[in-house]
Amino acid sequence: MPEVIRIPVVQMEQEFRRILMKFGFETKKAEQCAHIFAVNSLEGIYSHGVNRFARFTQSVKEGHINPKAEPEKKHSSGALEQWDGGFGPGPLNATFCTERAIELSAEYGIGCVAIGRTNHWMRAGYYGWKAAKAGFALIAWTNTNANMPAWGALDCHLGNNPMVLAVPYKSEAIVLDVAMSQFAYGTLNVYRLGGRELPIAGGYDAQGNLTTDPSAILETQRVLPMGYWKGSGLSLLLDILSTILSGGLSVKQITDRGSEHGLSQVFIAADISSLGNQHLIPKAISDIILDYHSSKPASERDTILYPGERVLRSRKQNTEAGIPVDQTVWREIISL
Amino acid sequence: MPEVIRIPVVQMEQEFRRILMKFGFETKKAEQCAHIFAVNSLEGIYSHGVNRFARFTQSVKEGHINPKAEPEKKHSSGALEQWDGGFGPGPLNATFCTERAIELSAEYGIGCVAIGRTNHWMRAGYYGWKAAKAGFALIAWTNTNANMPAWGALDCHLGNNPMVLAVPYKSEAIVLDVAMSQFAYGTLNVYRLGGRELPIAGGYDAQGNLTTDPSAILETQRVLPMGYWKGSGLSLLLDILSTILSGGLSVKQITDRGSEHGLSQVFIAADISSLGNQHLIPKAISDIILDYHSSKPASERDTILYPGERVLRSRKQNTEAGIPVDQTVWREIISL
């Protein structure tokens, strides 16, 4: 078992910043990108934070991510804009698009930014938290390379196309960050390394049976879409929408490029402060959560949490104790 | 087994129209509403077509649906509007909102209409087909009464909150019509009546185990959210968004009213003909579907269909042979 160490968030962010500048990021961009990786780690999404950082710099090195690229506006239809990501850093482009969708929604009530030729945005939830804490509702999604079979199929022609839905809640937010596969490959690997079975079926084994064995699924690559035919259909529609709205690349075209880059993403923000019922909204949301929390748990193990509730705990724990990192992962990072 | 008869769509629509006028619908509204119920039946969605018609008229009789109500604008933020449904007929209000969202998107690129105090829209897909065949992309959803437990909970505090995503495809459309529960209650009943097991687990039995036995699930009412925690989270966010954007009633508030009426719905349309890449969009979509259709089926039984593909077959078959209806269902309707 690798030893887990605790790194204070400030130290982690400084380290990320140092490395990104070494990899060609200008100071401001290095700071912003380091901040996103650090926040994702602080909030417990290590797979798209500290554990992904080295791979991110590798993509920069390979030329798939251009640290100097700025998003450029290709077309405006008013509240709907198309941008070109220039193969820039996904987290920076996605932050830009979130902010631009917010600006458009402040002007028009609702705003939509679609961006093509961008890169992996890391954690969908980051953009949801950002918009919601600024007082806006956000719906956003990305396509990916082909990593999931359609329902009833053997081979991967769909992306897991993560999606985020977010609304403000008290001084925090309710943020659903959800990919279209039932389990991420990272999760399957965590279970495999821990020698554990999945709690529910996550895909198919070589005999074509649904299984909870992570190794068998990793072998066939037949991961299960969430909700079987439902997640399969959602994935397809999200790909079509991100491709046509952005004028960018589809899952198929991204896959044909070999490594996952040049993604298409959509960001829709709504300015709820512009609505006639704006003063009633905080109570409306609190009442829904109050009722939701009043659900009877099926067992003592079950706690009925709203999406994003766990983030608050991770943020608090990791702020106090430092961010947990495998020592080998951290050693690799500081050697960059 | 009840005998199934075939009713020509024209005859069915005329019958619906006659009855709706008897129930207080003005001619034009009766025609429009009859058309929606007939099309839903023609396209194979009998549960929200002919099989639901008598119950719909019952709701009118009970005063939960006001056939004379017109939607009224409460607030405009430009491309985002709030409307009040006045407890009018759900299919008419939803058609109105789809058309209004299209108008707004033609003006602003994207348009969003949220409506409160409306009623069950019957089939989500209808509005997707309508928008997509007019050349627009549509995302829309509704809340419902509480009919699904949160993930890990025993009692129902979530709605199944159906959602539709639609884009044009050739002269037709790709339309995903998807509720947040893995199976509809109607589907569970069909399996129960047929003495069949569900193909996958659809909920819990009285012992708290996942089961494919429809009767056991109907007894506990513990239906499974699609994708377990994922559909549970999506349902919650869709309820919050429809409630706050419309200024209408939440799942909890609808449930407190006793019978399911006064729903909140959101319609977001995008004018893809306004985009810089508009001439490339048909090919972009066709290429995605071509790749999707090239998926290797897991078995000979499996056909990889895109969402909405089955509708084309039903429409063709039922146009030629008439719409299949249980004789008892049809007898009840013609006696209205």
Side-chain angles (χ1 to χ4, degrees):
Chain A
M1 285 291 284
E3 201 191 334
V4 172
I5 54 173
R6 292 266 180 178
I7 307 292
V9 61
V10 177
Q11 184 190 339
M12 185 178 279
E13 190 167 332
Q14 276 170 355
E15 199 59 25
F16 289 163
R17 179 174 168 277
R18 172 189 71 74
I19 297 161
L20 290 170
M21 289 185 70
K22 207 168 146 184
F23 276 83
F25 284 66
E26 290 154 27
T27 311
K28 217 186 133 191
K29 289 184 176 178
E31 275 168 7
Q32 202 185 357
C33 204
H35 182 69
I36 295 170
F37 274 97
V39 168
N40 290 352
S41 310
L42 184 73
E43 298 191 335
I45 320 298
Y46 313 111
S47 59
H48 292 100
V50 60
N51 290 348
R52 180 92 180 204
F53 186 77
R55 185 166 154 199
F56 177 78
T57 61
Q58 186 60 30
S59 294
V60 176
K61 209 167 160 181
E62 288 165 357
H64 295 315
I65 297 172
N66 174 5
K68 299 206 189 303
E70 298 274 355
E72 281 178 31
K73 197 191 287 182
K74 288 196 300 182
H75 185 82
S76 168
S77 307
L80 169 61
E81 290 184 348
Q82 287 185 319
W83 289 73
D84 181 277
F87 298 102
L92 298 186
N93 280 345
T95 302
F96 172 83
C97 291
T98 303
E99 287 168 351
R100 184 65 194 142
I102 285 174
E103 279 174 17
L104 287 172
S105 77
E107 190 174 349
Y108 298 103
I110 187 165
C112 177
V113 173
I115 186 168
R117 304 201 315 148
T118 186
N119 278 306
H120 195 313
W121 65 11
M122 297 302 132
R123 168 190 173 212
Y126 181 84
Y127 315 100
W129 280 93
K130 185 171 180 64
K133 290 196 76 162
F136 294 77
L138 187 82
I139 301 176
W141 65 90
T142 180
N143 64 5
T144 62
N145 61 359
N147 54 22
M148 181 172 87
W151 172 244
L154 287 172
D155 51 342
C156 295
H157 287 264
L158 293 177
N160 65 346
N161 303 352
M163 185 178 197
V164 57
L165 289 89
V167 293
Y169 177 53
K170 296 181 178 171
S171 63
E172 295 287 350
I174 300 167
V175 181
L176 179 76
D177 178 340
V178 67
M180 296 303 126
S181 55
Q182 188 63 58
F183 292 103
Y185 278 101
T187 308
L188 295 179
N189 262 316
V190 168
Y191 274 88
R192 184 180 59 84
L193 292 170
R196 290 185 296 151
E197 295 273 303
L198 300 170
I200 50 165
Y204 293 89
D205 63 19
Q207 286 73 47
N209 298 314
L210 281 172
T211 180
T212 55
D213 174 2
S215 303
I217 301 165
L218 287 164
E219 210 170 287
T220 61
Q221 304 269 308
R222 281 186 71 191
V223 299
L224 202 57
M226 71 151 179
Y228 309 87
W229 51 92
K230 299 200 172 197
S232 176
L234 262 171
S235 164
L236 182 70
L237 265 294
L238 293 179
D239 180 36
I240 293 174
L241 284 167
S242 53
T243 302
I244 66 178
L245 291 177
S246 72
L249 304 174
S250 66
V251 164
K252 155 79 171 149
Q253 291 170 318
I254 292 161
T255 309
D256 286 348
R257 295 176 72 94
S259 87
E260 189 186 65
H261 63 289
L263 309 184
S264 302
Q265 296 169 353
V266 179
F267 302 77
I268 301 173
D271 181 3
I272 56 178
S273 76
S274 76
L275 295 172
N277 57 317
Q278 57 153 311
H279 298 299
L280 303 171
I281 288 177
K283 183 170 178 341
I285 298 176
S286 289
D287 283 350
I288 290 174
I289 295 301
L290 201 67
D291 179 62
Y292 177 79
H293 274 158
S294 78
S295 299
K296 285 195 200 83
S299 77
E300 283 175 21
R301 285 185 299 107
D302 290 305
T303 323
I304 315 299
L305 300 177
Y306 63 79
E309 197 166 352
R310 206 172 272 114
V311 163
L312 301 181
R313 297 182 189 180
S314 301
R315 194 200 292 154
K316 187 167 182 293
Q317 279 172 5
N318 291 346
T319 300
E320 287 166 8
I323 296 163
V325 197
D326 277 0
Q327 198 163 42
T328 48
V329 169
W330 189 244
R331 276 204 196 118
E332 186 189 357
I333 288 172
I334 55 176
S335 75
L336 287 171
Chain B
M1 284 291 282
E3 201 191 333
V4 172
I5 54 174
R6 293 265 180 180
I7 307 294
V9 61
V10 177
Q11 184 189 337
M12 186 178 278
E13 191 167 331
Q14 276 171 355
E15 200 59 26
F16 289 163
R17 179 175 168 278
R18 173 189 70 74
I19 296 161
L20 290 169
M21 289 183 70
K22 207 167 145 185
F23 276 83
F25 284 66
E26 289 154 28
T27 311
K28 219 185 131 192
K29 289 185 175 176
E31 275 168 5
Q32 202 187 354
C33 204
H35 182 69
I36 295 170
F37 273 96
V39 167
N40 291 352
S41 310
L42 184 74
E43 298 191 336
I45 320 298
Y46 312 111
S47 59
H48 293 100
V50 60
N51 291 348
R52 180 90 180 204
F53 186 78
R55 185 167 154 197
F56 177 78
T57 60
Q58 186 60 30
S59 294
V60 177
K61 209 166 158 183
E62 287 165 356
H64 296 315
I65 297 172
N66 174 6
K68 300 206 189 305
E70 297 274 355
E72 280 178 32
K73 197 192 287 182
K74 288 196 300 183
H75 186 83
S76 168
S77 308
L80 168 60
E81 290 184 348
Q82 287 185 319
W83 288 73
D84 181 276
F87 298 102
L92 298 185
N93 280 345
T95 302
F96 172 84
C97 291
T98 304
E99 287 168 351
R100 184 65 195 141
I102 285 174
E103 279 174 16
L104 287 171
S105 77
E107 189 173 349
Y108 297 104
I110 187 165
C112 177
V113 172
I115 186 168
R117 303 201 317 149
T118 186
N119 278 305
H120 196 312
W121 66 12
M122 296 302 132
R123 168 189 174 212
Y126 181 84
Y127 315 100
W129 280 92
K130 185 171 182 63
K133 290 197 76 163
F136 293 76
L138 186 82
I139 301 176
W141 65 90
T142 179
N143 64 5
T144 63
N145 61 359
N147 55 21
M148 182 172 87
W151 172 245
L154 287 173
D155 52 342
C156 296
H157 287 265
L158 294 176
N160 66 345
N161 303 352
M163 185 178 197
V164 57
L165 289 89
V167 293
Y169 177 53
K170 296 182 177 169
S171 63
E172 295 287 351
I174 300 166
V175 181
L176 179 75
D177 178 339
V178 67
M180 297 303 125
S181 55
Q182 188 64 56
F183 292 103
Y185 278 101
T187 308
L188 296 178
N189 262 315
V190 167
Y191 275 87
R192 184 181 59 86
L193 291 171
R196 290 185 296 151
E197 296 273 302
L198 300 169
I200 50 166
Y204 293 89
D205 62 19
Q207 286 73 47
N209 298 314
L210 281 172
T211 180
T212 54
D213 174 1
S215 303
I217 301 164
L218 286 164
E219 209 169 289
T220 60
Q221 304 270 307
R222 282 186 70 191
V223 299
L224 202 58
M226 71 151 180
Y228 308 87
W229 52 92
K230 299 199 172 196
S232 177
L234 262 171
S235 164
L236 182 70
L237 264 295
L238 293 179
D239 181 37
I240 293 174
L241 284 167
S242 53
T243 302
I244 66 177
L245 291 177
S246 72
L249 304 175
S250 66
V251 164
K252 154 79 170 148
Q253 291 170 318
I254 292 162
T255 309
D256 286 347
R257 295 175 72 92
S259 87
E260 189 185 66
H261 63 289
L263 309 183
S264 301
Q265 296 169 353
V266 179
F267 302 77
I268 302 173
D271 181 4
I272 56 179
S273 76
S274 76
L275 295 172
N277 57 317
Q278 58 152 311
H279 297 300
L280 303 170
I281 288 177
K283 184 170 177 342
I285 298 176
S286 290
D287 283 351
I288 291 173
I289 296 300
L290 201 67
D291 179 62
Y292 177 79
H293 274 158
S294 79
S295 298
K296 286 194 199 84
S299 77
E300 283 174 21
R301 285 183 301 107
D302 290 305
T303 324
I304 314 298
L305 300 177
Y306 63 77
E309 197 167 353
R310 206 171 272 117
V311 163
L312 302 180
R313 298 182 188 181
S314 300
R315 195 200 292 155
K316 187 168 182 293
Q317 279 173 5
N318 292 346
T319 300
E320 285 165 9
I323 297 163
V325 197
D326 277 0
Q327 199 164 40
T328 47
V329 169
W330 189 244
R331 275 203 197 122
E332 187 189 356
I333 288 172
I334 55 176
S335 75
L336 286 171

